[in-house]
């Protein structure tokens, strides 16, 4: 009998590759947040240690969400190889600077994938990406607000202690919900 199956998936190679790269980026972000959690714990910043552990878990969820999508679509989801994870950080503040840089890089990466989806006319993936694009509003907001605590509270005296306490309380109000 003639084989009628011409395609295994509607995902193009370009989009599958971009999604696998994003899976890796989320895994790297998860590992980086875990490293930040460890550094904070080792340096007496307990609350931030817990905050970064939570961020790490969220990044793993993001990774799995992308992973499931590629698999569900009949693509080849690749379990990422994460190596050379940073261990040391210069200062408490630099941890938060790096966290914000990381979130900005993630947003830019999703924008590039969305752009590729439009070029490839892959509106299924484009629609799937909307959740992540919206999520990045919160991700950047929380990282930015946490970093701003260093300006608002100041690092002198018990400043770092106060900043540490306030970090897990940074909350994002989602007024975009309908
Ligand atoms: Fe998965 Fe923080 O972006």
């Amino acid at each position: 009998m003639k084989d009628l199956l011409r395609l295994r998936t509607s995902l193009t190679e370009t989009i599958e590759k971009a999604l696998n790269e994003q899976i890796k980026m989320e895994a790297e972000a998860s590992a980086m947040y875990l490293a930040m959690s460890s550094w904070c714990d080792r340096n007496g910043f307990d609350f931030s240690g817990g905050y970064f552990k939570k961020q790490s878990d969220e990044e793993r969820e993001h990774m799995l969400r992308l992973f499931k999508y590629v698999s569900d679509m009949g693509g080849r989801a690749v379990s990422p190889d994460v190596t050379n994870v940073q261990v040391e950080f210069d200062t408490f503040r630099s941890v938060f600077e790096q966290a914000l840089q990381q979130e900005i890089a993630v947003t830019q990466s999703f924008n590039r994938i969305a752009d590729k989806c439009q070029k490839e006319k892959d509106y299924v993936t484009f629609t799937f990406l909307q959740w992540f694009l919206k999520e990045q509003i919160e991700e950047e907001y929380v990282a930015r607000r946490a970093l701003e605590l260093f300006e608002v509270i100041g690092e002198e005296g018990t400043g770092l202690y106060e900043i540490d306490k306030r970090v897990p309380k940074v909350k994002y109000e989602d007024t975009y919900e309908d």
Side-chain angles (χ1 to χ4, degrees), residues 26 33 59 62 103 106 136 139:
E26 301 291 337
Y33 276 137
E59 299 304 345
H62 296 168
E103 289 305 337
V106 168
Q136 281 311 117
E139 295 280 276

Side-chain angles (χ1 to χ4, degrees), residues 22 25-26 29 33 55 58-60 62-63 102-103 106-107 110 131-132 135-136 139-140:
Q22 192 60 39
M25 192 176 198
E26 301 291 337
Y33 276 137
Q55 295 301 113
E58 271 187 31
E59 299 304 345
R60 183 172 162 77
H62 296 168
M63 179 195 87
Q102 178 169 277
E103 289 305 337
V106 168
T107 306
F110 274 116
W131 184 90
F132 287 95
E135 175 77 1
Q136 281 311 117
E139 295 280 276
E140 270 194 46

Side-chain angles (χ1 to χ4, degrees), residues 131 134-135 137-138 141 171-178:
W131 184 90
K134 189 161 174 272
E135 175 77 1
I137 302 172
E138 175 172 354
Y141 175 91
K171 286 281 174 296
Y172 174 69
E173 277 297 319
D174 188 355
T175 52
Y176 299 98
E177 283 292 334
D178 45 28

Side-chain angles (χ1 to χ4, degrees), residues 48-60:
S48 299
Y51 162 83
F52 283 121
K53 167 67 174 51
K54 210 169 128 269
Q55 295 301 113
S56 171
D57 288 344
E58 271 187 31
E59 299 304 345
R60 183 172 162 77

Side-chain angles (χ1 to χ4, degrees), residues 105-131:
V106 168
T107 306
Q108 290 170 335
S109 180
F110 274 116
N111 278 335
R112 282 194 296 271
I113 303 175
D115 199 39
K116 281 190 180 124
C117 285
Q118 291 204 315
K119 286 200 181 96
E120 301 269 319
K121 303 202 185 312
D122 180 350
Y123 295 103
V124 178
T125 303
F126 185 75
T127 302
F128 167 76
L129 287 181
Q130 303 310 302
W131 184 90

